[in-house]
Amino acid sequence: MPKRKDINRILLIGSGPIIIGQACEFDYSGSQACKALREEGYKVILINSNPATIMTDPEMADITYIEPLIPEVVAGIIKKEKPDALLPTMGGQTALNLTVKLSQMGVLTKYKVHLIGANINAIKKAEDRQLFKSAMIDIGLNVPKSGVAYTLEESLKISSEIGFPIILRPSFTLGGTGGAIVYNIDELKESISKAFDLSLNHEILLEQSVIGWKEFELEVMRDKKDNVVIICSIENFDPMGIHTGDSITVAPAQTLTDKEYQNMRDAAIKIIREVGVETGGSNIQFAINPQNGEMVVIEMNPRVSRSSALASKATGFPIAKIAAKLAIGYTLDEIPNDITKKTPACFEPTIDYCVVKIPKFNFEKFPKSKPCLNTSMKSVGEIMSIGRTFKEALQKGIRSLESGYCGLEEKKLNMELESGLKNPIPERLFYIREAFKKGYSINKIYQITFIDPWFLYNLKEIFDTEIEIQKYKNSEIPMELFKKAKEYGFSDKHIAKILGQKEENIYNLRKKYNIKVEYKMVDTCAGEFEAQTPYYYSTYEQNSIIEETK
């Protein structure tokens, strides 16, 4: 389909201040959208209250307003600039909520502004908890037992029907803002008032707890011809009960069976069609009961999201850029893949590596905030690492946090071991390592943490390799063990620390063994097509294209 010629001026709303739950990922998405729309010859009008962003650089948009992101201000800009269309899906929850308000005020109708990317009905159906729940039931998908409340009295009634613990999910919020897990009536009364205040329409979903289930996300894209592709699957290291922004996440999903993945993929396609996201990307979250494989739908974001930014970097598929082009009329088969320049965007990315995201916390700067994770996001940033295996990517990721750790190493613990395992805290990885040191089995740790045994087995392999290395404190570590350690993500500094030696000695030994770092390509197609604009990640696995020259 050709791009739309009935519109020329497009208004794009940014996400505003960089706050917890709404950080620089939306600047990344908004900047990509501005560039994509201007490449196609459209005039871009941008409003964002935050000048400390890339998207507000003068060259990014034709006209930039740095103004408060409130309906009255945006309405004034619409009146003055008379945009033909509004793209609401690039500025996080802020842009969606503003769009809903502008629609309710009649501003969009009065000035004949077309919504592109997602219409009001789709936004409401995805963001309104009751509408979304009904839509999922209509298409035959399971959702946790739940009820929607608008008052404390309704909340108490629903809680008596569902039973505790209960998860509170306010409508139209980002980063789990206002959400909570409550275990009794007192906690419900304490949390519900804040949740009502933070919801755009004062609506709260009280949901049956599926704490301990496995959590997954799919990044989905749809075009005007109803073509739908799955860009990336993402699995949470932590079980349900922790906001995905606060969990270690892994792409692609590691523990799904093929049947489970295909069922999830089919469900995601049905969801994006039912909700009615016309074009662009959406993030859909699922939970799976590890005991019997039962799958339920948790929620959907009808826009690019934090996970979209992660998936874009992980796969090389620029979700925001493609979403912007779909919004102006192109279809997936008409947009070329940025990396191969040959395959169209309708090719689902295939990756032959593992990507790990680890959140970063600064609880030391917020002494009144409890360092315990739940459904409301608390991380202030995140790192992303790429390796050939989960073990390698995880250890690289721990180093990337710049918290002073070489990898999954010994750490001074601040609480009793089983408390550190049971309570979802940022340092739980190190408590798991300590549990292995104390002789805990994988099954025992699983019974406490509900972290999938596959992940625990990989952590155990890292720990066991460390124990092997320790045996050579007074002798030269064998080449095969050295090679294994490097493939498991151990840095030279980490190995030196284990052996009580200087890092330079380990570096020289690695050179003696001719164990070199290599670089492999991120190409979206797992090497099936030649990459024209590749980028690389380092690994110690063999048979790569570029080797260390130093």
Side-chain angles (χ1 to χ4, degrees):
M1 296 175 68
K3 68 180 183 183
R4 292 182 62 168
K5 296 182 179 179
D6 60 327
I7 58 175
N8 179 47
R9 298 164 66 84
I10 299 175
L11 176 65
L12 194 148
I13 303 175
S15 64
I18 294 177
I19 59 175
I20 291 175
Q22 186 151 300
C24 55
E25 288 84 356
F26 293 108
D27 186 26
Y28 167 81
S29 300
S31 299
Q32 280 205 356
C34 286
K35 291 171 67 176
L37 295 174
R38 295 188 76 192
E39 282 174 5
E40 295 296 333
Y42 294 98
K43 191 166 188 176
V44 176
I45 304 157
L46 171 69
I47 175 171
N48 193 346
S49 62
N50 184 3
T53 58
I54 293 171
M55 74 166 69
T56 50
D57 288 352
E59 64 272 16
M60 293 303 297
D62 294 282
I63 302 171
T64 301
Y65 285 89
I66 300 177
E67 298 284 352
L69 291 175
I70 56 177
E72 294 75 15
V73 170
V74 180
I77 292 171
I78 290 174
K79 179 181 179 181
K80 179 182 177 182
E81 298 294 342
K82 296 181 173 55
D84 303 306
L86 167 60
L87 180 58
T89 55
M90 300 293 168
Q93 199 65 46
T94 297
L96 287 187
N97 289 353
L98 272 172
T99 301
V100 171
K101 285 284 190 181
L102 291 168
S103 175
Q104 292 171 345
M105 292 164 61
V107 173
L108 303 182
T109 302
K110 180 178 179 180
Y111 294 103
K112 299 179 181 178
V113 181
H114 298 277
L115 277 185
I116 56 177
N119 58 43
I120 286 295
N121 289 336
I123 294 171
K124 287 182 176 179
K125 189 179 283 190
E127 297 290 340
D128 184 293
R129 300 293 183 176
Q130 183 60 58
L131 292 177
F132 184 71
K133 175 186 175 182
S134 299
M136 296 305 97
I137 293 171
D138 288 345
I139 58 176
L141 297 177
N142 293 331
V143 293
K145 187 178 179 183
S146 63
V148 172
Y150 298 90
T151 65
L152 174 60
E153 290 71 26
E154 290 176 340
S155 303
L156 294 173
K157 181 181 178 183
I158 293 168
S159 68
S160 66
E161 296 169 354
I162 296 176
F164 292 100
I166 289 173
I167 297 177
L168 305 182
R169 298 187 187 276
S171 296
F172 293 94
T173 63
L174 178 72
T177 302
I181 304 171
V182 295
Y183 293 87
N184 52 55
I185 289 177
D186 290 338
E187 291 184 1
L188 175 63
K189 290 179 178 178
E190 182 181 338
S191 301
I192 201 75
S193 178
K194 178 184 177 183
F196 281 129
D197 289 341
L198 291 169
S199 172
L200 179 69
N201 57 349
H202 304 286
E203 175 187 89
I204 308 296
L205 181 77
L206 286 82
E207 186 177 82
Q208 164 201 356
S209 170
V210 288
I211 294 173
W213 291 28
K214 300 196 292 183
E215 184 171 3
F216 300 87
E217 300 175 70
L218 293 186
E219 290 295 326
V220 191
M221 297 201 80
R222 183 186 185 213
D223 67 19
K224 284 278 190 181
K225 286 184 179 177
D226 197 28
N227 297 309
V228 183
V229 294
I230 309 300
I231 304 304
C232 188
S233 63
I234 302 173
E235 178 169 0
N236 282 21
F237 172 87
D238 295 295
M240 287 291 297
I242 301 173
H243 190 278
T244 185
D246 284 352
S247 175
I248 296 170
T249 58
V250 187
Q254 301 293 309
T255 71
L256 284 174
T257 65
D258 183 60
K259 183 177 180 180
E260 286 174 332
Y261 173 70
Q262 295 303 329
N263 287 339
M264 190 177 291
R265 184 183 183 280
D266 291 344
I269 293 171
K270 289 171 69 175
I271 291 168
I272 197 169
R273 286 173 172 164
E274 170 63 24
V275 170
V277 175
E278 295 172 333
T279 64
S282 292
N283 168 265
I284 306 174
Q285 298 175 23
F286 300 88
I288 288 186
N289 186 335
Q291 305 305 319
N292 57 20
E294 177 189 355
M295 182 181 76
V296 296
V297 184
I298 301 300
E299 63 181 0
M300 172 189 186
N301 293 311
R303 53 172 171 77
V304 297
S305 65
R306 186 185 320 99
S307 297
S308 302
L310 171 69
S312 294
K313 297 164 192 171
T315 62
F317 188 104
I319 291 175
K321 176 182 178 179
I322 302 299
K325 296 208 172 192
L326 294 177
I328 57 173
Y330 288 114
T331 53
L332 286 162
D333 56 308
E334 295 173 329
I335 304 171
N337 181 304
D338 272 14
I339 285 185
T340 66
K341 304 295 185 183
K342 296 177 182 178
T343 58
C346 59
F347 273 48
E348 294 190 351
T350 301
I351 59 179
D352 55 359
Y353 46 83
C354 183
V355 180
V356 171
K357 176 216 82 179
I358 306 177
K360 186 172 179 64
F361 302 88
N362 275 346
F363 283 110
E364 64 276 8
K365 295 183 179 179
F366 304 95
K368 293 184 180 180
S369 179
K370 295 180 180 178
C372 192
L373 311 180
N374 54 33
T375 58
S376 184
M377 185 175 164
K378 297 178 180 178
S379 69
V380 297
E382 60 193 34
I383 63 86
M384 187 191 88
S385 61
I386 305 178
R388 289 294 286 175
T389 65
F390 170 72
K391 289 185 284 288
E392 182 180 44
L394 179 73
Q395 295 231 79
K396 287 171 70 175
I398 292 172
R399 291 193 289 277
S400 298
L401 288 170
E402 298 181 343
S403 298
Y405 302 112
C406 299
L408 189 63
E409 60 178 306
E410 190 162 11
K411 177 185 184 298
K412 183 179 179 181
L413 306 180
N414 297 320
M415 64 173 68
E416 187 266 332
L417 177 58
E418 293 214 5
S419 294
L421 292 173
K422 184 177 181 181
N423 294 302
I425 55 176
E427 300 84 13
R428 187 150 62 165
L429 274 176
F430 297 97
Y431 282 83
I432 293 172
R433 182 202 174 279
E434 183 66 17
F436 287 133
K437 183 179 178 181
K438 299 289 187 184
Y440 283 48
S441 68
I442 288 174
N443 185 59
K444 183 174 181 179
I445 298 173
Y446 169 72
Q447 295 300 327
I448 300 171
T449 65
F450 295 107
I451 294 169
D452 191 90
W454 186 89
F455 291 117
L456 297 177
Y457 180 78
N458 275 267
L459 298 184
K460 181 71 160 53
E461 285 190 310
I462 293 172
F463 175 75
D464 288 346
T465 301
E466 179 185 338
I467 298 304
E468 283 186 68
I469 294 170
Q470 285 177 357
K471 296 175 183 177
Y472 296 91
K473 284 193 173 183
N474 299 313
S475 59
E476 201 170 78
I477 179 175
M479 184 173 69
E480 286 305 312
L481 178 57
F482 202 133
K483 186 174 185 297
K484 175 183 175 182
K486 299 304 291 183
E487 290 179 350
Y488 281 13
F490 285 82
S491 66
D492 290 354
K493 185 176 180 180
H494 193 177
I495 296 172
K497 200 170 183 180
I498 294 169
L499 295 175
Q501 297 184 21
K502 292 182 179 180
E503 183 180 353
E504 183 181 4
N505 295 343
I506 302 303
Y507 174 82
N508 291 333
L509 181 59
R510 178 164 65 83
K511 293 304 175 185
K512 174 184 173 182
Y513 288 152
N514 198 33
I515 299 172
K516 297 179 179 180
V517 67
E518 301 180 346
Y519 295 87
K520 293 183 182 289
M521 235 187 273
V522 173
D523 68 357
T524 78
C525 297
E528 292 295 322
F529 295 89
E530 183 181 356
Q532 302 297 319
T533 56
Y535 57 99
Y536 299 87
Y537 63 95
S538 64
T539 180
Y540 279 86
E541 191 175 275
Q542 297 177 347
N543 304 318
S544 65
I545 295 175
I546 298 179
E547 293 188 355
E548 181 183 36
T549 56
K550 186 176 177 181

